[in-house]
Amino acid sequence: MLDFLNRHVVQPIYAAKAGSRHLQYLRTLRRTQFDPPEIVRARQLAALQAILRHAFDTVPFYRAAWTAAGVHPNDVKDLADLRQFPIVTKTDLRTRAAEFHSEAYRGPYVTKRTSGSTGVPLTIRLDEPGKQWKYAGTLRGDEWSGWRLGQRVAKVWGNPEYRHFGLKGRLRNALLERAVHLDTVRLTDGRMREFVTAIRRHRPGLLFGHAHSLYLIADRLKKQGIDDVRPNGIVSTAMPLHDWQRKTIEEVFGTKATDRYGCEETSLIAGECEVHRGLHVNADSVHVEVESGESTGPLLVTDLCNRAMPLIRYRNGDHVTLTDRACSCSRGLPLIEKVEGRDADYVVTPTGSLISGISLTENFACLIEGTAQVQIVQEAVTHLRLRIVPSEAFGVDSRRQIARLVGDTFGPTMRHEIELVDAIPQEPGGKYRFCISKVAPAAARALR
Ligand SMILES: [Zn+2]
C-alpha cells in the first residue's frame, strides 16, 4: 500500500515541486529500450551530431583541439566517424577544467567533485536537464533488477548524501526515497548487525551497493542462518562483482544480482538486464567505444546529454570488452560483454573496522591540497604508505592536512609515510589500483 502511494502520489508530487521531468523521461526510456538496434543507433548518431556541434560552437577546448586535428562535426555521418576526433584525458580535465565549460550554456547545473576510479580529483559540471535524463536512465536500470518505482531501497554506501541536507534531506529520504543506509566508510560488526535488523524490518524492494559490501552482508546472513531477507532486486556497482561474490549474494537473498557500471563523470554507462549476460549500454545518455577499435581495451565514453560541460571521447581509465551479440531480452541497446578494469579494496583500521577504498581515496584526493593523484597502500595494520603525484600546490600545508586526515580516520596509532612520485604505477592489463591493503583481506575474513 505504501509502495503504491509512493509510486503514484509522493513521487509525482515531489517531481512536480522540484520542476523535474525525470518521471516523464522514465516513461519514454521504458518505451524506447525495445526499439531495434538500428533505431537506437540512429538516435545516438543524431544526439552525437548535436552535442558535437554544440561543443565545437561553444566549448573552447574542443574548438581548439578539433581545429588543430583538422576535424569538424559536419564530418560525422556515422558513429564510426567519431574515431577521427582527439581523445580527452583526465589530465586535460584536471588542468584545463574551465576550457571544457560551454560558453553558451546559461541554465542551472550541478557540480560534482570526484576522485573517479583512479584517484585523480576532477570537477564536473552536469546541466540540470542532463541530470534529470540520467536519473531516469538509472531508474530504468534499477527496474531491470526487479525493483519497481515506489518500493523501498536499502543502500550499502559510504557517506549517504541525504545527511548533507539536514532536516530537509532526512524528510525527503523518509517520504520520497525511503532508503535504509549502511555507511561503508565505517563497516563495523555492530553497524552491519543494525543494518541487517533494519532490512529485515523494512523489507526493501532493492538492495543496492558496492559488490564487496553486498557480499560481506550476504556472507554474514548466511553464517547466521538468516534466509528471510528477500529484496525484489539487487544492484551491485562501483567495483567488479566477482563470480564467487555473486554466488553467495544470490544464494542468500534468493534473487539475481544485477551488475552495473558507471563513472562519476558521466553517471550510468551500462547495466545488466534480467538476462544477466553482459551489460546494456545506457545508449540514450552515452556512446562508448574501445580506443584501439578492437573489441577489448581502454574505454572512451562520449556523453550525449551534458551541454554544460560536454565530454567527448573521454578516456575514463577503465578497460572493457564490447560485443555485437544481441541479448535475448530483445532490447536494442548495445552490450558491453565485460568490464575488465576497476578495482577497489578495503583498508582495515587498528580497531578492526573496514573502510572502503573508494570512500577513502575520494577523501584524500578531494580534501588534500596539491594532490594530482593518490594511491593508498596499507603495508601493515598500523602502517600506511601514501603515494602522491603532487601538483604545484603541494606543500607544508598538504602534509599537515594528510596527518590530520590519517589521525581522524584511523586514530593515533596509525603511522603513515608520504611518497611523492611522478606517476602511480599501472597494474598489468592497464588497471590502476588506488587502494591496496596487504592486511584487509585477512581482516575481512575474520569479520565473517
Ligand atoms: Zn538484455
Side-chain angles (χ1 to χ4, degrees), residues 320-359:
V320 298
T321 296
L322 303 178
T323 175
D324 291 334
R325 186 168 59 77
C327 184
S328 60
C329 72
S330 78
R331 286 183 182 86
L333 305 167
L335 286 173
I336 291 180
E337 192 72 76
K338 192 165 182 276
V339 179
E340 315 278 349
R342 193 178 46 130
D343 219 335
D345 212 335
Y346 280 75
V347 172
V348 63
T349 70
T351 55
S353 341
L354 289 176
I355 297 186
S356 87
I358 289 173
S359 320

Side-chain angles (χ1 to χ4, degrees), residues 147-311:
W147 169 84
R148 288 294 164 263
L149 184 68
Q151 292 178 342
R152 265 185 189 279
V153 177
K155 291 185 181 177
V156 189
W157 205 257
N159 221 354
E161 259 179 17
Y162 74 94
R163 287 195 195 146
H164 303 308
F165 298 101
L167 181 65
K168 204 174 152 199
R170 282 171 202 278
L171 198 65
R172 186 188 147 92
N173 183 58
L175 287 172
L176 184 68
E177 285 158 3
R178 302 160 76 223
V180 184
H181 287 94
L182 173 65
D183 187 346
T184 51
V185 172
R186 299 207 174 276
L187 196 58
T188 62
D189 225 12
R191 289 262 173 101
M192 198 123 73
R193 218 167 21 239
E194 282 170 27
F195 182 70
V196 166
T197 308
I199 55 179
R200 289 180 85 178
R201 187 170 67 240
H202 294 298
R203 308 262 155 194
L206 178 66
L207 186 58
F208 173 89
H210 298 137
H212 192 66
S213 309
L214 291 172
Y215 166 77
L216 285 177
I217 289 166
D219 195 61
R220 172 168 198 85
L221 293 181
K222 187 179 172 183
K223 297 235 155 66
Q224 295 179 347
I226 296 172
D227 59 4
D228 60 342
V229 180
R230 288 280 180 268
N232 298 345
I234 300 172
V235 170
S236 163
T237 186
M239 56 203 288
L241 176 64
H242 299 292
D243 289 344
W244 54 274
Q245 295 169 323
R246 190 192 284 261
K247 188 167 165 281
T248 302
I249 293 167
E250 294 182 348
E251 184 187 316
V252 169
F253 294 109
T255 186
K256 290 279 190 185
T258 297
D259 195 13
R260 173 178 296 174
Y261 168 60
C263 66
E264 279 286 331
E265 298 88 316
T266 65
S267 305
L268 176 65
I269 294 175
E272 285 181 1
C273 67
E274 62 281 356
V275 174
H276 303 281
R277 265 196 78 202
L279 294 85
H280 283 288
V281 175
N282 185 19
D284 303 281
S285 170
V286 294
H287 168 66
V288 300
E289 43 178 331
V290 165
E291 190 173 328
S292 59
E294 308 285 315
S295 59
T296 300
L299 175 74
L300 301 180
V301 58
T302 294
D303 195 322
L304 299 174
C305 58
N306 185 2
R307 299 175 80 80
M309 185 172 175
L311 289 180

